[in-house]
């Protein structure tokens, strides 16, 4: 049997194809089949081979040619109906929604066309769209862009200086090549030790999906993926160049070729995930860079499942000689913070988590380094 492929233009809805089934008696049965919505629809028609097998008898060859002629006559009358509107039930298998991912505008689940899976290979071969907003999203370079302005051409927004700093190709390149090592001066124990500390907090979420927010160059994304604790790890950052660096490091490590890692560009203050859909969120040395930490933490609280865990590290404000005066301490703290990065009081972080609906706050401090965790309350 040979397979003949014929490509037709894009159509707005599903189509109906008439298929012909040959029975041993030589009769032709007509069957109507609904085809899925795709960007380009391909109709596959099965025709008889150009010649009969040599092993057949003359009678079998005669029947073979008869069936071939019947199929040819039937195919000649085949037509495609392009005004057929399928029901949702008929296409629920073809129009499968993506895992967790939502439209950053209306938070409706995205419709996915392509292979399933939260890994770079599957995501890169998929197209995503929102039925309500009628917007489409696809991979740019090596990541899936789910920012609000993913397809904007004219409109631009001026980002905070801290945000623009880490979008720089130079900063993205040197982040793991010297920049991050300087954090030890503030008490950061180093990536390997920090991952172990975070894993202790994240034990209740083992086997779930971990979102590495502000992943940078994937310094922690790769370590969490290699641990095998999570069925999928999503590396998320607003910086295009940081995500490209993440991809390069992953590509160089053969141990990561079979694990589920997805790269997504998004704003931490507008996370493109369904409410209550993620098991764990990690933000390593990131919260002090966010334009609005309160907006980011509240979004993390929204997307976490009941019982989900949020773990983060950041810089504490150095001890200052404020003589117990809160106003003086505030002035000194503002002076000690740079124009792009801020530092925190330990009490501030705990209160921020409580305001955003977290419970069971815990922390570990070393000099100016702090790792804290908080949990989303279980459902009553």
């Amino acid at each position: 049997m040979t397979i003949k492929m014929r490509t037709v233009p894009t159509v707005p809805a599903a189509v109906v194809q008439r298929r012909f089934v040959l029975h041993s008696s030589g009769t032709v049965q007509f069957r109507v089949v609904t085809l899925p919505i795709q960007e380009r629809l391909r109709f596959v028609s099965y025709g008889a081979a150009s010649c009969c097998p040599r092993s057949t008898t003359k009678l079998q060859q005669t029947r073979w040619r008869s069936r071939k002629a019947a199929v040819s006559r039937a195919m000649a009358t085949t037509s495609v109906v392009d005004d057929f509107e399928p029901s949702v039930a008929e296409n629920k298998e073809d129009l499968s929604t993506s895992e967790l991912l939502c439209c950053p505008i209306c938070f409706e689940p995205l419709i996915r066309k392509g292979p399933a899976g939260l890994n770079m290979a599957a995501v890169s071969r998929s197209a995503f769209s929102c039925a309500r907003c009628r917007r489409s999203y696809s991979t740019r370079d090596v990541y899936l862009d789910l920012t609000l302005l993913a397809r904007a051409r004219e409109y631009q927004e001026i980002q905070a200086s801290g945000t623009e700093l880490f979008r720089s190709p130079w900063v993205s390149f040197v982040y793991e090549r010297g920049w991050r090592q300087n954090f030890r001066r503030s008490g950061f124990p180093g990536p390997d030790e920090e991952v172990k500390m975070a894993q202790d907090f994240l034990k209740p979420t083992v086997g779930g999906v971990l979102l590495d927010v502000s992943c940078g160059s994937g310094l922690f994304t790769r370590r969490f993926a290699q641990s095998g604790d999570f069925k999928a790890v999503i590396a998320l950052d607003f910086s295009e160049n940081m995500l490209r660096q993440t991809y390069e490091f992953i590509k160089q490590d053969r141990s990561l070729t079979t694990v589920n890692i997805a790269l997504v560009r998004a704003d931490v203050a507008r996370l493109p995930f369904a409410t209550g859909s993620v098991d764990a969120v990690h933000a390593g040395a990131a919260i002090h860079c966010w334009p609005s930490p309160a907006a980011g933490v509240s979004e993390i609280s929204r997307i976490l499942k009941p019982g989900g865990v949020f773990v983060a590290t950041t810089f504490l404000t150095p001890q200052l000689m404020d003589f117990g005066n809160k106003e003086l301490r505030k002035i000194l703290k503002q002076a000690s913070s740079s124009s792009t990065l801020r530092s925190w009081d330990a009490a501030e972080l705990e209160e921020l988590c409580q305001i955003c609906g977290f419970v069971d706050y815990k922390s570990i401090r070393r000099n100016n380094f702090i790792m804290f965790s908080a949990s989303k309350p279980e459902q009553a």
Side-chain angles (χ1 to χ4, degrees):
M1 301 290 287
T2 59
I3 297 177
K4 298 179 181 179
M5 305 294 292
R6 179 161 62 91
T7 305
V8 299
T10 305
V11 294
V15 298
V16 173
Q17 179 189 5
R18 296 176 185 170
R19 290 183 180 175
F20 305 88
V21 182
L22 283 175
H23 295 279
S24 58
S25 61
T27 59
V28 179
Q29 178 185 359
F30 293 82
R31 184 191 304 171
V32 177
V33 180
T34 302
L35 298 181
I37 298 175
Q38 297 177 351
E39 293 182 0
R40 293 181 67 84
L41 295 171
R42 291 185 175 132
F43 302 117
V44 182
S45 59
Y46 296 90
S50 58
C51 61
C52 301
R54 295 181 180 178
S55 59
T56 58
T57 64
K58 289 184 178 181
L59 178 59
Q60 289 173 328
Q61 291 178 2
T62 301
R63 289 178 176 175
W64 189 287
R65 293 189 183 96
S66 177
R67 294 174 189 173
K68 178 182 176 182
V71 171
S72 298
R73 289 192 301 270
M75 288 300 180
T77 62
T78 301
S79 61
V80 176
V81 181
D82 60 3
D83 59 352
F84 178 77
E85 290 293 340
S87 66
V88 175
E90 288 174 318
N91 287 278
K92 63 183 179 181
E93 293 182 357
D94 300 318
L95 298 180
S96 58
T97 55
S98 61
E99 301 87 344
L100 314 176
L101 301 178
C102 289
C103 172
I105 297 176
C106 65
F107 293 129
E108 283 292 309
L110 291 178
I111 296 173
R112 178 174 186 168
K113 299 177 185 177
L118 280 172
N119 56 73
M120 292 189 296
V123 171
S124 65
R125 296 198 301 270
S126 299
F128 301 84
S129 61
C130 176
R132 175 178 291 182
C133 297
R134 299 186 181 279
R135 289 192 61 186
S136 60
Y137 303 91
S138 59
T139 53
R140 291 188 174 183
D141 295 328
V142 297
Y143 55 84
L144 175 62
D145 195 337
L146 292 179
T147 57
L148 288 173
L149 304 180
R151 302 183 65 184
R153 295 182 179 180
E154 301 296 334
Y155 179 79
Q156 294 182 352
E157 287 187 341
I158 299 175
Q159 302 293 335
S161 56
T163 302
E164 289 301 315
L165 173 67
F166 290 98
R167 294 179 71 184
S168 163
W170 182 82
V171 173
S172 301
F173 180 81
V174 302
Y175 187 76
E176 283 194 42
R177 299 175 175 91
W179 182 297
R180 192 46 164 78
Q181 286 78 346
N182 291 324
F183 288 14
R184 290 184 178 274
R185 299 177 181 178
S186 298
F188 279 70
D192 293 332
E193 181 63 24
E194 290 170 47
V195 166
K196 292 179 181 178
M197 295 166 61
Q199 285 176 315
D200 289 338
F201 287 127
L202 294 170
K203 283 181 179 179
T205 65
V206 168
V209 174
L210 170 71
L211 176 63
D212 192 15
V213 175
S214 297
C215 65
S217 58
L219 186 66
F220 296 100
T221 301
R222 304 193 303 272
R223 287 168 169 79
F224 282 123
Q226 288 171 330
S227 70
D229 288 346
F230 304 95
K231 65 180 180 183
V233 179
I234 303 173
L236 183 144
D237 206 291
F238 189 78
S239 169
E240 306 92 325
N241 287 300
M242 282 295 190
L243 289 169
R244 293 188 186 106
Q245 283 294 317
T246 300
Y247 174 78
E248 291 299 324
F249 281 120
I250 292 174
K251 191 170 64 173
Q252 296 169 13
D253 192 337
R254 293 184 178 180
S255 66
L256 297 173
T257 57
T258 58
V259 298
N260 288 326
I261 302 178
L263 306 186
V264 176
R265 181 174 182 244
D267 186 349
V268 69
R270 195 78 179 179
L271 293 173
F273 300 94
T275 299
S277 62
V278 178
D279 298 276
V281 175
H282 172 263
I287 190 173
H288 48 268
C289 304
W290 298 347
S292 175
V297 175
S298 64
E299 269 292 89
I300 291 171
S301 177
R302 179 185 67 81
I303 68 170
L304 276 175
K305 293 179 180 179
V309 179
F310 171 43
V311 177
T313 59
T314 188
F315 295 89
L316 292 175
T317 304
Q319 295 296 322
L320 303 172
M321 296 296 293
D322 55 14
F323 305 104
N325 188 306
K326 291 184 178 180
E327 290 298 323
L328 177 60
R329 178 167 179 78
K330 181 178 179 180
I331 295 173
L332 293 174
K333 180 181 177 181
Q334 291 174 343
S336 65
S337 299
S338 68
S339 59
T340 57
L341 307 175
R342 65 161 294 173
S343 56
W344 299 83
D345 288 336
E348 282 184 293
L349 294 171
E350 183 174 3
E351 184 180 40
L352 176 60
C353 290
Q354 291 174 350
I355 290 172
C356 294
F358 285 102
V359 297
D360 194 23
Y361 180 88
K362 302 174 183 177
S363 66
I364 300 174
R365 300 176 56 176
R366 295 182 183 178
N367 298 329
N368 297 330
F369 161 82
I370 184 171
M371 174 179 285
F372 65 91
S373 76
S375 302
K376 186 78 174 289
E378 294 282 357
Q379 289 181 338

